[in-house]
Amino acid sequence: MKNKITKKIIAGLILAVFITSNTAMSALALAEKPSLRADGEDTVKLKADVAITTAQDPVTLSLRDSDVKQVLRMFANQAHMNIIFDSGVSGNVTLDLVDVPLNSAFDLVLSIAGLTYVIDGNTLVISSSGTEVSAAKQEITLIPVKYIDASAMAEFLNKNIFSMKKPGLSSSEIVTTNPMTNELLVFGTKNDVAIARKVVEKFDKKPLSTSIKVSHTTPEQMAELVCDMLLPSTSSSSGGGGKGRSTGGAAGIKGVMTGGASSSGSGDDVELGGGEVACTITANSSGTLAPLPLQSLAISFFTQQGTIGIMGGSEQQVEMIKEFIAQNDRKQPQAYLEVSIIELSEAGSKTLANTWQYLSKNFSFNYAAGSTSTNPNYPIFVHGNRYPHIESPGQEPSYDVTKYTGPSALTYTINYILENRKGRVVANPRILITNGQESVIDLTSDYVKTVTSQVVSSSLTGAVQRTYEIGDDNGIKVSITPFISPDGYVTLNITPEYATISSQVTSPNEEDPSITDIQATLLQRRNLELKNVRIKDGETLIIGGMIREDEQKTVQKIPFLGDIPGIGMFFRTTVTSKNKEEMLIMLTPKIINDDEPMRNEDTL
């Protein structure tokens, strides 16, 4: 008697520890639930409901290394059922059970021994888990699926439930689909069908569909903001102008048109009501468990309708996205910006040129523009009196180069030139700028960057094919990004770029040296990058100091004579040039005041 009481006390303590540990683990799981989940939790029992008897009589049993067949026979006798064992059933069990229901005791022994069962009328068929003995008593059951993909549900059931070798359930893939009717075909027992129905009932629900109107930002920008900031792990930017977006996880959607109709033909396509998927949360799983990619949360945008679409997800996720859009769909402040771009140029040159010429019967001398030589029409004849000179090919030579026969003469001329040039180029664009959006003022022009010539081999003489490379950055380009604050100030990021053609590099063509190609065009640049320049409403910011100044002086002289102090200036040619350029940029922002509400709370 004492032994029985002691055993009952020990069994009670074991059950109390088991219940306490499970309660603590459940509390820990609830404390660590993800942020994107519903407040409540729901569970589906993934095991068969063992019911070999309807009686609720408890079982108290204590065994040591007993044959599992004999234990199961005792349970069958108490349930008034027949029992059959497969040839693979073997093993021993040790147990101490105190006031445990017969159905629970039967299920516990099967789980520990790695066995399963099938009920055929009033007979229990016991076999090892993983064997196909139970397949002889299977039926085909059709389970309709309304809202989700039946093939995904079938894969989920086969890999996550019917492969766990649980007592009373099949241990192989028993679920397939009828794609025409989106139905599940279950080749299993009543327990298998019952579990499949529970899972389908749990997940086969109509997905949430919500449309939110966007008033102050574009739907595309808001959708990308939701994907990048609220759901950063689900989306990533894609190429092609940002129209399509790839998603995180195992699968994704790129640039899917939803609800659109287009008309193709000559001219531009017409799209009515088209939308783009910005990002989606897809199922992803690691390990041996299969995911359930059924009700993905997809964010889309409809530009023509001005709305953001939310498909799928939980009610908490939808509410979170609504709150995010309401907080960020605010009217952006704007400013009227007057820009004045002034380019000032000043160039001048001074030339003092002396020319000397001496003619005699035996000697001639000529100095002009820094060049000293004899007169080409009256050279010094060492022998002879004249020689023929041909003006052009094909003409008869004429003896027009002869000795000078006139009187000796010494002549002197002076050329003094002053040149002064001034220029002014003014551009005065006026633009409307939006907070945080970059605006570009482009006043550039195209130019020929390189020219490559190729002589064409044909019957045409001198046929040349030229290839031109065109540049487009000659001129002024200003990029402006404003940040408009409520206190009446505008903070600007300004990037002015100014480029002019400095020179060109040329070379003779390899095939025909008479043709000159442009190998490269060199630009002179004056660029600035200004960050966080703060201007008060209505005041003017002047950006100056971008000055370029060149000064050159060239001296050409007669040797020895040009170096004589005082009179040497009459035997020199001096050219002095000076060039000065300056660019000014003046910016005057004027904040536009609008009394309309800054927040959008409209939802559809």
Side-chain angles (χ1 to χ4, degrees):
M1 186 67 181
K2 286 183 178 181
N3 290 336
K4 288 187 178 181
I5 294 174
T6 303
K7 290 180 179 179
K8 288 184 178 181
I9 294 174
I10 294 173
L13 291 174
I14 293 173
L15 290 176
V17 172
F18 178 75
I19 294 172
T20 303
S21 62
N22 281 321
T23 303
M25 292 298 293
S26 300
L28 181 61
L30 289 174
E32 296 179 353
K33 64 181 181 179
S35 58
L36 293 183
R37 288 185 59 179
D39 293 336
E41 290 188 353
D42 196 2
T43 59
V44 177
K45 185 179 179 181
L46 298 181
K47 61 184 298 184
D49 293 329
V50 179
I52 61 175
T53 181
T54 59
Q56 300 296 326
D57 297 334
V59 174
T60 300
L61 190 62
S62 179
L63 299 174
R64 296 293 181 271
D65 294 328
S66 299
D67 186 8
V68 68
K69 293 182 180 180
Q70 299 302 326
V71 176
L72 294 177
R73 281 196 184 99
M74 286 191 298
F75 292 154
N77 290 334
Q78 190 167 350
H80 305 290
M81 297 189 70
N82 302 318
I83 190 167
I84 299 176
F85 293 99
D86 179 62
S87 59
V89 177
S90 62
N92 298 325
V93 294
T94 299
L95 54 87
D96 287 292
L97 300 178
V98 179
D99 293 338
V100 178
L102 178 61
N103 290 329
S104 299
F106 179 74
D107 183 45
L108 288 173
V109 172
L110 289 178
S111 300
I112 294 173
L115 303 176
T116 187
Y117 75 97
V118 174
I119 298 178
D120 186 5
N122 194 37
T123 302
L124 288 173
V125 181
I126 308 298
S127 61
S128 300
S129 296
T131 61
E132 299 300 329
V133 175
S134 61
K137 300 301 296 180
Q138 289 181 345
E139 298 177 352
I140 301 177
T141 304
L142 277 64
I143 301 178
V145 181
K146 297 180 181 179
Y147 302 107
I148 61 179
D149 184 13
S151 60
M153 178 58 69
E155 182 180 6
F156 179 81
L157 292 171
N158 286 327
K159 292 187 177 180
N160 297 339
I161 297 177
F162 297 118
S163 61
M164 294 183 178
K165 299 182 180 180
K166 291 185 174 294
L169 297 180
S170 298
S171 57
S172 60
E173 296 186 359
I174 62 170
V175 184
T176 186
T177 62
N178 181 1
M180 295 183 62
T181 58
N182 200 44
E183 292 178 319
L184 295 179
L185 305 180
V186 182
F187 295 81
T189 64
K190 293 180 180 180
N191 287 337
D192 297 332
V193 174
I195 289 294
R197 289 188 188 276
K198 287 182 180 179
V199 175
V200 171
E201 182 180 356
K202 174 64 180 176
F203 295 106
D204 187 25
K205 298 179 180 179
K206 185 177 181 180
L208 297 176
S209 178
T210 307
S211 182
I212 304 176
K213 185 178 180 181
V214 180
S215 299
H216 302 302
T217 57
T218 65
E220 180 177 3
Q221 290 176 334
M222 181 56 68
E224 292 181 354
L225 194 64
V226 171
C227 293
D228 294 338
M229 297 186 64
L230 196 60
L231 310 171
S233 63
T234 66
S235 60
S236 61
S237 59
S238 65
K243 288 292 184 183
R245 296 178 65 83
S246 63
T247 65
I253 302 176
K254 284 190 176 181
V256 180
M257 287 296 299
T258 58
S262 62
S263 174
S264 60
S266 59
D268 297 334
D269 292 343
V270 178
E271 298 179 356
L272 301 177
E276 297 277 351
V277 174
C279 64
T280 180
I281 300 178
T282 56
N284 190 12
S285 177
S286 59
T288 58
L289 294 179
L292 188 59
L294 303 178
Q295 299 182 32
S296 300
L297 172 61
I299 307 297
S300 59
F301 58 90
F302 298 81
T303 303
Q304 295 177 350
Q305 301 176 15
T307 57
I308 301 293
I310 306 173
M311 177 63 70
S314 65
E315 294 181 359
Q316 288 76 14
Q317 287 176 316
V318 173
E319 288 300 322
M320 181 176 61
I321 294 173
K322 284 183 178 180
E323 292 177 2
F324 181 84
I325 293 177
Q327 292 173 359
N328 292 277
D329 184 27
R330 297 175 179 271
K331 181 177 57 180
Q332 295 297 322
Q334 293 181 321
Y336 175 78
L337 183 65
E338 183 176 354
V339 184
S340 296
I341 303 175
I342 304 174
E343 181 186 0
L344 302 176
S345 62
E346 183 177 354
S349 63
K350 180 174 66 174
T351 303
L352 176 62
N354 298 294
T355 303
W356 293 87
Q357 183 173 260
Y358 174 74
L359 296 175
S360 65
K361 294 180 180 180
N362 299 316
F363 179 76
S364 65
F365 171 80
N366 188 46
Y367 169 76
S371 175
T372 305
S373 64
T374 59
N375 193 305
N377 294 323
Y378 303 104
I380 300 173
F381 283 88
V382 179
H383 175 73
N385 297 320
R386 62 178 182 172
Y387 61 87
H389 176 69
I390 301 176
E391 293 289 341
S392 60
Q395 291 184 350
E396 292 294 330
S398 60
Y399 295 91
D400 54 355
V401 179
T402 60
K403 289 184 177 181
Y404 178 73
T405 58
S408 299
L410 176 64
T411 61
Y412 168 74
T413 59
I414 185 173
N415 186 13
Y416 185 68
I417 300 175
L418 288 175
E419 183 180 3
N420 190 14
R421 300 187 304 273
K422 292 185 178 181
R424 184 184 183 193
V425 178
V426 179
N428 190 212
R430 296 171 175 84
I431 59 175
L432 192 65
I433 54 178
T434 303
N435 190 35
Q437 300 295 322
E438 183 183 30
S439 300
V440 179
I441 302 173
D442 193 344
L443 303 176
T444 58
S445 60
D446 297 340
Y447 62 95
V448 178
K449 197 172 183 179
T450 60
V451 177
T452 304
S453 303
Q454 183 179 2
V455 178
V456 180
S457 299
S458 63
S459 58
L460 299 176
T461 303
V464 179
Q465 178 179 338
R466 289 183 172 87
T467 303
Y468 296 89
E469 181 185 358
I470 305 300
D472 59 357
D473 54 348
N474 179 29
I476 301 172
K477 183 176 181 180
V478 182
S479 300
I480 302 172
T481 303
F483 299 93
I484 304 171
S485 63
D487 58 355
Y489 282 87
V490 179
T491 303
L492 300 175
N493 289 342
I494 312 167
T495 307
E497 300 176 358
Y498 180 39
T500 56
I501 297 177
S502 175
S503 62
Q504 290 182 324
V505 179
T506 61
S507 66
N509 186 270
E510 295 181 358
E511 299 179 2
D512 188 351
S514 64
I515 301 175
T516 301
D517 292 337
I518 300 176
Q519 300 297 321
T521 299
L522 305 180
L523 295 179
Q524 173 186 292
R525 302 182 184 275
R526 281 174 282 174
N527 300 336
L528 287 177
E529 185 174 359
L530 305 177
K531 296 290 187 180
N532 299 327
V533 180
R534 198 162 182 256
I535 315 172
K536 191 175 182 180
D537 181 22
E539 292 185 352
T540 300
L541 170 68
I542 300 177
I543 302 174
M546 290 187 286
I547 302 174
R548 178 180 180 270
E549 187 171 357
D550 297 330
E551 185 173 354
Q552 295 180 351
K553 184 176 182 180
T554 304
V555 178
Q556 298 171 328
K557 60 186 177 179
I558 300 175
F560 305 111
L561 296 178
D563 297 327
I564 300 175
I567 64 172
M569 61 175 296
F570 297 103
F571 301 96
R572 291 194 298 261
T573 297
T574 304
V575 179
T576 303
S577 62
K578 186 176 182 180
N579 186 28
K580 181 179 180 181
E581 296 178 352
E582 180 179 5
M583 186 174 70
L584 298 175
I585 299 177
M586 294 185 293
L587 305 172
T588 305
K590 298 178 181 178
I591 299 176
I592 298 176
N593 296 316
D594 195 344
D595 296 332
E596 292 183 5
M598 298 285 289
R599 183 172 176 178
N600 170 45
E601 297 181 353
D602 296 334
T603 58
L604 301 179

